[in-house]
Amino acid sequence: MSGKWLVTGANGYLGGEVCRGLQKEDYDVCALARPGHTLDSLEKCGVTCHSYDALPGLMAEGDVFVHCAGKVCDTGLWDDYQQINVDWTLSLYEQAIQRGARCFVYVSSVAALGYSKRQSDIDLDESDEPLLTTGELYGRSKLLAEQALQQRSRTAQTRLVILRPGFIYGRRPLAPSQRWLRRGSIVDPNQRVPLVHVDNFLSALTRTGKDTNASGIFLVVDDEQPMLGELNALKLEYGILQYPPWRIGKTGFRLLCLVRNLARRLRGQGALPEGYAASQYLMRTRSLSYSTKKLKGQTGWEPAVSLEVGLQESDARKQPAPERLDS
Ligand SMILES: NC(=O)c1ccc[n+]([C@@H]2O[C@H](COP(=O)([O-])OP(=O)(O)OC[C@H]3O[C@@H](n4cnc5c(N)ncnc54)[C@H](OP(=O)(O)O)[C@@H]3O)[C@@H](O)[C@H]2O)c1
């Protein structure tokens, strides 16, 4: 297939994996990151790397543009989310249109739908209305970006694909290192975790990027969407977790938020954003599951890597021992 694949956020987790995955499959890949950010490991794999300054001269007719860069954390100022996730995304799509790019793929998130409980337990799909609370800044910025892109795509030749992945895992540690006292915490073991293995995400990306009939929003989530309690049991079995996280419930969670807020104020970082605690509570107790019928039906996508295989591959006991700095 002619045309190269330009990938933003190439120094991040997903952008890097996308570049390596495309390169492995013999696509012509061009990795992009901010000036000064090292892309050495990609260059070593033979990927062409540039900073965003070079973009106007790089983009050409027939290219596929994959926008992975974005503000991903769950705290911060709304203006930053707006500027990075909404305004910048739209300006990149505009450049892609002007240069005659074949396709623009935006990596959004299931967070764009919001984590509020719905009235029925049916899997959410692309036609469901987003339901966001005040504190869901990340999800809101993803949703606004999607809406701005869709509005622009109505009069554009460059095909628009919006992928909404769940939590992407694979080829990076799946849990923070634990100690007996520092084990992380669970608010609700029945929380659903919409995982997607990075290889399954890559397959969704290449299928939608190439298929000229694929356009609009696609949810990208593996078939197994386990509850957190089940997932942690598997992680313990496979040595990914050493200790079960503390179960703190609603009261413990409230206390944790109070302590975090106090610590931020003492460090002069300002209070957490309005609605932060409520949105975090929603996220940590969500019971939503997602349908991928559209992606499967339109592109033939199937998540080839199962949860069991994905987790076994992340088994801490099979990971090489970390290199000693003094050796
Ligand atoms: N990982 C997941 O589970 C997941 C799930 C759903 C959706 N997503 C989406 O996938 C994308 C990549 O996520 P990730 O997990 O790979 O996160 P990541 O490792 O933190 O990478 C984020 C990338 O965005 C770049 N970025 C952040 N702010 C920027 C700015 N102002 N200007 C230019 N670049 C900026 C970062 O570059 P710097 O290093 O220069 O800051 C980095 O390359 C995001 O859009 C995220 O919303 C990820």
Side-chain angles (χ1 to χ4, degrees):
M1 195 174 64
S2 62
K4 56 187 175 305
W5 289 55
L6 295 138
V7 183
T8 65
N11 64 314
Y13 162 63
L14 187 61
E17 287 299 330
V18 165
C19 290
R20 274 183 279 271
L22 291 173
Q23 170 83 358
K24 241 194 216 161
E25 290 185 33
D26 285 335
Y27 290 92
D28 183 4
V29 192
C30 180
L32 295 159
R34 288 197 265 194
H37 284 273
T38 172
L39 293 172
D40 290 354
S41 72
L42 288 178
E43 267 173 343
K44 275 186 202 146
C45 305
V47 176
T48 314
C49 300
H50 288 279
S51 78
Y52 298 119
D53 306 340
L55 192 52
L58 284 173
M59 215 183 315
E61 216 176 302
D63 287 348
V64 176
F65 197 96
V66 186
H67 186 32
C68 286
K71 182 168 167 60
V72 293
C73 53
D74 50 23
T75 56
L77 299 174
W78 169 251
D79 285 354
D80 292 337
Y81 285 99
Q82 170 76 40
Q83 193 232 314
I84 301 164
N85 290 358
V86 187
D87 302 344
W88 184 42
T89 300
L90 189 60
S91 84
L92 289 173
Y93 185 37
E94 193 58 53
Q95 287 185 57
I97 293 167
Q98 300 309 327
R99 296 273 159 181
R102 183 159 35 111
C103 180
F104 185 92
V105 184
Y106 176 50
V107 184
S108 181
S109 162
V110 292
L113 277 170
Y115 294 130
S116 299
K117 196 168 166 47
R118 308 309 206 261
Q119 276 179 346
S120 90
D121 284 338
I122 299 170
D123 291 353
L124 294 179
D125 67 23
E126 291 80 0
S127 67
D128 277 290
E129 279 298 313
L131 210 56
L132 289 140
T133 60
T134 326
E136 292 179 88
L137 303 183
Y138 168 71
R140 183 174 308 281
S141 66
K142 289 289 187 188
L143 178 65
L144 289 180
E146 290 184 1
Q147 290 170 341
L149 292 172
Q150 284 182 303
Q151 164 84 13
R152 180 65 188 91
S153 74
R154 289 192 192 120
T155 53
Q157 295 294 316
T158 302
R159 183 165 55 89
L160 173 67
V161 169
I162 295 171
L163 299 179
R164 279 183 183 165
F167 178 76
I168 303 167
Y169 78 104
R171 289 195 284 278
R172 70 168 171 177
L174 194 54
S177 66
Q178 288 186 310
R179 269 175 272 140
W180 183 83
L181 200 59
R182 298 198 61 163
R183 315 171 169 195
S185 59
I186 290 190
V187 180
D188 178 3
N190 296 327
Q191 177 201 327
R192 285 245 169 241
V193 191
L195 293 167
V196 54
H197 190 273
V198 67
D199 287 340
N200 297 337
F201 176 81
L202 269 164
S203 153
L205 170 68
T206 47
R207 281 168 187 272
T208 51
K210 285 190 301 189
D211 184 342
T212 50
N213 294 315
S215 72
I217 300 175
F218 293 90
L219 284 159
V220 192
V221 175
D222 288 350
D223 289 342
E224 303 112 317
Q225 296 171 41
M227 288 185 193
L228 186 56
E230 297 164 356
L231 181 65
N232 281 340
L234 286 170
K235 283 186 186 171
L236 284 161
E237 188 183 326
Y238 295 137
I240 298 163
L241 287 180
Q242 225 185 325
Y243 306 100
W246 302 111
R247 210 168 139 178
I248 58 171
K250 192 172 185 173
T251 315
F253 175 76
R254 280 194 179 144
L255 213 62
L256 206 66
C257 284
L258 282 175
V259 172
R260 209 172 152 199
N261 226 349
L262 190 70
R264 281 180 66 94
R265 281 169 193 266
L266 289 175
R267 278 193 237 117
Q269 292 169 316
L272 289 163
E274 194 198 333
Y276 171 83
S279 71
Q280 284 294 301
Y281 185 73
L282 261 186
M283 195 177 75
R284 296 178 72 171
T285 56
R286 64 185 152 168
S287 54
L288 306 175
S289 49
Y290 304 89
S291 160
T292 49
K293 260 192 197 151
K294 181 181 171 194
L295 182 62
K296 288 178 175 171
Q298 287 194 14
T299 71
W301 178 78
E302 282 298 331
V305 183
S306 67
L307 180 63
E308 198 186 346
V309 170
L311 287 182
Q312 277 176 353
E313 170 206 274
S314 312
D315 181 342
R317 289 164 300 195
K318 289 187 194 152
Q319 304 289 326
E323 269 178 43
R324 283 177 57 118
L325 291 174
D326 56 349
S327 62

